[in-house]
Amino acid sequence: MIKYIVENFYDLKLQDGLIPAIIQDHASGEVLMMAYMNEESFKKTLETGKTWFYSRSRNELWNKGGTSGHFQFVKNIKIDCDRDTLLIQVEQIGAACHTGNRTCFYSEIYNFDEK
């Protein structure tokens, strides 16, 4: 694996100063959620080892688990080949979704195996 050094947050390909972050359970590989990061939330994630995100609707930072106690402890951070999406592998404590589900991706739209 090639280690990509991010010396400056703005070396990443951002959209309106934000980058999407896919959150994945490091042990199972299950995709838990997706949220956006800005420069400040990215830096706080690196500094604390817990995930921080930027809420577009509230226009503020939020720490996953800050109110629920369902923290995400960062194990590693990867960048995709286009440098426009982060994959953050975490140890998830409790539910990742605000609905109480383990993952935000619990609603199936279609299953090709069940035609």
Side-chain angles (χ1 to χ4, degrees):
M1 177 175 290
I2 297 171
K3 191 165 193 170
Y4 182 81
I5 306 297
V6 176
E7 294 180 14
N8 184 328
F9 182 74
Y10 293 96
D11 288 342
L12 304 175
K13 290 185 183 172
L14 309 176
Q15 185 173 21
D16 299 323
L18 302 175
I19 190 165
I22 299 167
I23 311 305
Q24 180 183 45
D25 184 283
H26 80 102
S28 70
E30 181 178 30
V31 175
L32 301 173
M33 58 179 282
M34 188 287 252
Y36 289 93
M37 295 182 127
N38 65 2
E39 182 179 21
E40 187 178 0
S41 63
F42 181 74
K43 286 181 178 178
K44 285 182 81 92
T45 296
L46 294 177
E47 290 167 3
T48 65
K50 296 178 188 172
T51 54
W52 284 81
F53 304 105
Y54 178 77
S55 170
R56 296 176 301 160
S57 60
R58 296 189 312 267
N59 196 29
E60 66 183 15
L61 295 184
W62 60 280
N63 171 230
K64 181 62 185 169
T67 54
S68 67
H70 297 166
F71 291 102
Q72 295 173 335
F73 295 97
V74 177
K75 296 300 183 181
N76 65 57
I77 301 175
K78 297 178 181 178
I79 187 79
D80 77 332
C81 58
D82 293 323
R83 295 186 349 261
D84 63 2
T85 305
L86 298 174
L87 175 64
I88 303 178
Q89 295 177 319
V90 301
E91 175 187 350
Q92 176 69 51
I93 306 301
C97 187
H98 71 281
T99 63
N101 286 290
R102 168 133 177 98
T103 174
C104 293
F105 296 96
Y106 59 88
S107 297
E108 187 173 279
I109 292 175
Y110 188 81
N111 187 332
F112 282 89
D113 292 333
E114 297 175 2
K115 287 185 178 180

